[in-house]
Amino acid sequence: MIYRALMFLFIFVISFYINSAASERGYGDWPLAHPGHPNMRERRILVLTNACRISPTQYRDNLLVPHNSMASSILLPENYPPVEPLYWQVDLNRVAKVHAVDMANKHGLSHTSSDGTTFQNRVPAYYKKSQRISENIACGSKSAFGSMRQWLLDIIDTIGTPAPDKSSDDGHRRNIMNSRSKELGCGYAKGPIRWYYFWVQDFGGGTPDYSNPISAGAHFVHSGNNTEFMCVYSDPQGNEPKVPILNLDGNEHTLAVKFGSKNKGTYALTLPSASDCRYYYFSFTDSNNKNWRHPEHGRLVTVGEGSCEEEYEAPGAISYRPCNKSLNHPHVSVQSISNNRISINIEGPPKESYQLSIINFRGQRIYRQMLDNTQKNVYIGHTLSPGIYHVHLCKKGKPIASTMFVHLLQ
């Protein structure tokens, strides 16, 4: 009877968790139907696009002029005044991604698909909300900063002269600053075609499905072992937020305005880079004491830091990529839990050092320890609340083994 009761409780908890996790998807989270959208490079393009839209002059002076002194002649206030930020849209993201992959693997830089489909027909096949669409494409740059420079400068000669504002040659810049565009999907792909790195912006004029004042957020790993966390906040009533926060691995850091103003600006914080994945989200308390998050339920992950290859952690995530016991993979199991002491057994540990983590049912890492390749039995003194937990072994940021256990009230 006790065994049946425990199994019933286990099934109930699992069912509750799955249903809760499935329903908790909001702005900035990966949609259940389209996981992986957007990836971190695509998030970065949205951040930089909105940073430019809401404060074009500051963006120009800080991110364009240092690379091209002639950039001071563009994005003039009388030509391109500040406009509202864009919101991410899943169908625009999907079609932008499809075209980026197509360019990178089949035919190179072109607004026309490899099968002959024009941009005017390709985008509406995915995006039905508005007939007002436009597209930017670029190639050759590994970074979002580099691609944004290509689009905004719109170079017209070999010495690097930017196309004048509102001229026939500044179409990319005009698309980015168009106030009639309301939504954006970005696509990135790397492939064998010359120039290798391909980027797409697909703009739409439909009414956004979201009202979160944090329109975009991402991190940028810079040279010099620094990581910059950046998000764009725009209050619809024009009020300043009370508490702008970066929550990084459960620790709160205050954000500062980088471009624009407090009520409509790009907030940022630069910290030393880490050697492993860190988990973060942005949090603002508005003037009405309402708290806003980005992403709304999950967490972003510092892909590119050290060996980290994760990009997003879903709400309530309980697993990464479990590996079966085999000659090539270790096997991890929980032997006992008593007196707040967890006994973990590892069979066939990897040849290199690796990381052991315990993740709770909300997807939060509550314990982490680096192990060497001789450790087969690990004893952890840690108080656990009742619930579902996962034990993960990771090597160089990649999951190599995992197991799940349930801790019940004694």
Side-chain angles (χ1 to χ4, degrees):
M1 288 295 293
I2 295 177
Y3 174 78
R4 289 184 177 179
L6 292 179
M7 285 301 298
F8 174 80
L9 179 59
F10 173 79
I11 293 171
F12 172 78
V13 173
I14 287 287
S15 300
F16 174 80
Y17 155 75
I18 291 173
N19 291 332
S20 298
S23 64
E24 290 188 351
R25 292 293 191 275
Y27 188 63
D29 292 304
W30 279 357
L32 286 170
H34 302 287
H37 292 69
N39 66 34
M40 187 55 66
R41 285 182 172 88
E42 294 157 0
R43 291 180 189 271
R44 290 168 182 162
I45 289 289
L46 180 59
V47 169
L48 296 180
T49 298
N50 283 345
C52 182
R53 283 174 66 91
I54 65 175
S55 46
T57 302
Q58 285 182 286
Y59 187 100
R60 177 199 68 196
D61 293 344
N62 286 273
L63 296 181
L64 299 183
V65 171
H67 297 272
N68 186 324
S69 60
M70 292 182 282
S72 58
S73 65
I74 64 172
L75 289 171
L76 301 177
E78 60 270 26
N79 298 323
Y80 290 118
V83 293
E84 292 299 312
L86 302 170
Y87 278 84
W88 177 82
Q89 208 279 334
V90 62
D91 295 320
L92 290 172
N93 190 165
R94 292 170 59 214
V95 68
K97 171 82 78 177
V98 164
H99 192 52
V101 170
D102 188 39
M103 289 192 295
N105 289 279
K106 293 185 178 180
H107 67 101
L109 194 68
S110 173
H111 285 286
T112 301
S113 302
S114 59
D115 64 0
T117 303
T118 65
F119 145 72
Q120 290 86 353
N121 290 326
R122 182 181 62 252
V123 175
Y126 288 78
Y127 181 70
K128 311 292 186 181
K129 296 179 65 176
S130 171
Q131 294 182 345
R132 185 178 298 281
I133 56 173
S134 56
E135 181 175 82
N136 286 344
I137 57 176
C139 65
S141 177
K142 291 183 180 181
S143 75
F145 285 106
S147 292
M148 284 294 293
R149 283 197 300 271
Q150 289 176 308
W151 285 324
L152 289 168
L153 290 174
D154 272 324
I155 299 298
I156 58 175
D157 57 30
T158 57
I159 64 172
T161 304
D165 285 346
K166 301 291 186 177
S167 69
S168 59
D169 295 314
D170 84 332
H172 301 102
R173 190 185 315 145
R174 189 182 310 117
N175 284 342
I176 289 172
M177 295 303 300
N178 191 336
S179 63
R180 290 174 294 182
S181 294
K182 307 297 181 183
E183 299 181 301
L184 178 66
C186 308
Y188 165 82
K190 179 183 177 183
I193 298 296
R194 188 185 178 191
W195 306 119
Y196 307 117
Y197 309 96
F198 289 82
W199 304 78
V200 179
Q201 287 179 307
D202 280 330
F203 301 84
T207 301
D209 298 322
Y210 305 96
S211 59
N212 192 323
I214 311 173
S215 60
H219 73 280
F220 301 80
V221 181
H222 298 307
S223 59
N225 201 34
N226 290 317
T227 299
E228 184 175 24
F229 300 86
M230 194 183 303
C231 69
V232 178
Y233 180 90
S234 179
D235 188 283
Q237 280 76 47
N239 298 320
E240 296 181 6
K242 295 181 180 180
V243 187
I245 292 293
L246 165 70
N247 187 299
L248 179 64
D249 275 350
N251 299 311
E252 294 188 347
H253 304 266
T254 302
L255 296 162
V257 174
K258 182 181 180 74
F259 304 136
S261 58
K262 289 184 177 181
N263 65 309
K264 185 175 292 187
T266 301
Y267 284 76
L269 176 67
T270 300
L271 296 171
S273 298
S275 60
D276 192 14
C277 292
R278 294 187 287 181
Y279 301 79
Y280 69 96
Y281 61 87
F282 301 97
S283 174
F284 283 68
T285 302
D286 66 20
S287 58
N288 296 317
N289 291 319
K290 183 173 181 178
N291 184 259
W292 298 92
R293 269 189 54 160
H294 185 92
E296 288 189 8
H297 300 289
R299 294 192 294 179
L300 303 180
V301 191
T302 56
V303 59
E305 282 196 332
S307 58
C308 182
E309 297 183 358
E310 297 176 51
E311 297 196 0
Y312 170 78
E313 181 186 66
I318 61 171
S319 65
Y320 293 95
R321 287 173 290 174
C323 298
N324 295 324
K325 181 180 179 182
S326 69
L327 294 177
N328 298 319
H329 294 293
H331 178 69
V332 58
S333 59
V334 177
Q335 299 299 305
S336 63
I337 308 171
S338 61
N339 297 324
N340 299 325
R341 188 176 176 87
I342 309 167
S343 174
I344 296 174
N345 178 257
I346 301 161
E347 297 180 40
K351 296 179 180 179
E352 304 173 50
S353 61
Y354 56 99
Q355 177 183 285
L356 181 148
S357 297
I358 298 179
I359 314 295
N360 67 15
F361 82 102
R362 299 300 301 167
Q364 299 168 321
R365 183 165 53 192
I366 62 171
Y367 182 84
R368 176 171 58 181
Q369 179 180 346
M370 292 301 299
L371 303 174
D372 61 43
N373 60 358
T374 65
Q375 292 177 271
K376 296 185 177 182
N377 294 288
V378 181
Y379 300 95
I380 300 170
H382 194 89
T383 302
L384 294 177
S385 301
I388 302 168
Y389 295 86
H390 252 242
V391 178
H392 296 291
L393 301 185
C394 292
K395 183 174 68 174
K396 295 183 178 180
K398 295 182 179 180
I400 56 175
S402 66
T403 189
M404 182 176 67
F405 67 94
V406 178
H407 179 51
L408 303 174
L409 284 172
Q410 300 297 320

